[in-house]
């Protein structure tokens, strides 16, 4: 078992409700067929999903608003050099990133999902996949998010039904 797998196992053994389900994150990482994988994650928490991405990605940028959780993730991701953790509000930080991503995971404050998506649309490569967690468990808090994706007719999206609900959004072909 390599370093990242050991770290994932450690967090898996003390999994909490906020962590994305294992089934969901495994599905996500197995769906990524890009040559170079550049991930933007909104909502680091303790770094569990960032570690999964670190296994397959060239680079991961993960945003966390809470300094205690940011520090916990920093500890959990020690010696993992393809993950950059940023402490700050995603709604401000995304505009400052100055780089493009082909994979995005939205997994932060459910009532802000529409706003995250608006920002994310400005930092995407031509070919991309956006994953949105908790789309069944917290659907009632996401009314404006669903209206928004419906209004973007250049995108297609699908509810996979995995874990707490997982939507995949892509460019319409
Ligand atoms: C459900 S947890 C993320 C779980 C993580 N992806 C995992 O699987 O372990 C949501 C996290 O989003 C963070 N968060 C909430 N609003 C945020 C914002 N505006 N910008 C960045 N992080 C935010 C919370 O502090 C919390 O740690």
């Amino acid at each position: 078992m390599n370093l990242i797998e050991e770290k994932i196992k450690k967090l898996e053994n003390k999994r909490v409700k906020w962590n994305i389900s294992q089934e969901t994150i495994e599905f996500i990482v197995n769906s990524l067929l890009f040559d170079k994988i550049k991930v933007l994650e909104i909502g680091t928490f303790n770094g569990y999903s960032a570690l999964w991405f670190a296994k397959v990605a060239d680079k991961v940028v993960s945003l966390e608003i809470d300094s205690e959780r940011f520090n916990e993730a920093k500890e959990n991701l020690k010696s993992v050099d393809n993950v950059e953790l940023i402490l700050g509000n995603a709604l401000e930080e995304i505009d400052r990133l100055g780089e493009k991503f082909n994979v995005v995971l939205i997994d932060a404050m459910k009532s802000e999902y529409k706003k995250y998506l608006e920002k994310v649309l400005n930092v995407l490569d031509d070919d991309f996949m956006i994953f949105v967690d908790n789309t069944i468990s917290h659907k009632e808090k996401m009314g404006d998010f669903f209206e928004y994706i419906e209004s973007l007719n250049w995108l297609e999206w699908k509810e996979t039904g995995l874990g707490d609900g997982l939507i995949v959004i892509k460019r319409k072909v």
Side-chain angles (χ1 to χ4, degrees), residues 2 6 8 13-14 17 26 32 49 71 75 78 82 87 96 100 102 105 108 110 113 117 129 146 151 157-158 161 172:
N2 70 24
E6 271 173 29
I8 290 174
N13 287 338
K14 50 176 191 178
K17 205 174 155 13
E26 269 187 319
L32 307 179
S49 43
N71 286 330
E75 188 60 33
K78 211 187 267 172
N82 57 343
L87 173 62
R96 298 189 188 126
K100 302 270 185 194
N102 52 14
L105 172 62
K110 311 310 162 194
Y113 273 25
L117 183 58
M129 293 174 89
F146 282 99
S151 74
W157 63 277
K158 188 179 173 187
K172 211 179 257 175

Side-chain angles (χ1 to χ4, degrees), residues 33 47 60 71 76 79 84 91 106-107 121 130 153 170 173:
L33 302 175
V60 182
N71 286 330
N76 290 334
S79 309
E84 182 186 349
L91 296 174
I106 300 179
D107 188 18
L121 295 180
I130 302 170
N153 52 21
K170 290 158 101 174
V173 280

Side-chain angles (χ1 to χ4, degrees), residues 18-20 43 45 48-49 64-65 69 89-90 107-108 112 116:
W18 267 11
N19 291 131
I20 196 166
F45 181 44
Y48 173 75
S49 43
E64 173 54 55
I65 201 168
R69 294 173 202 142
N89 184 343
D107 188 18
E112 290 182 338
Y116 301 140

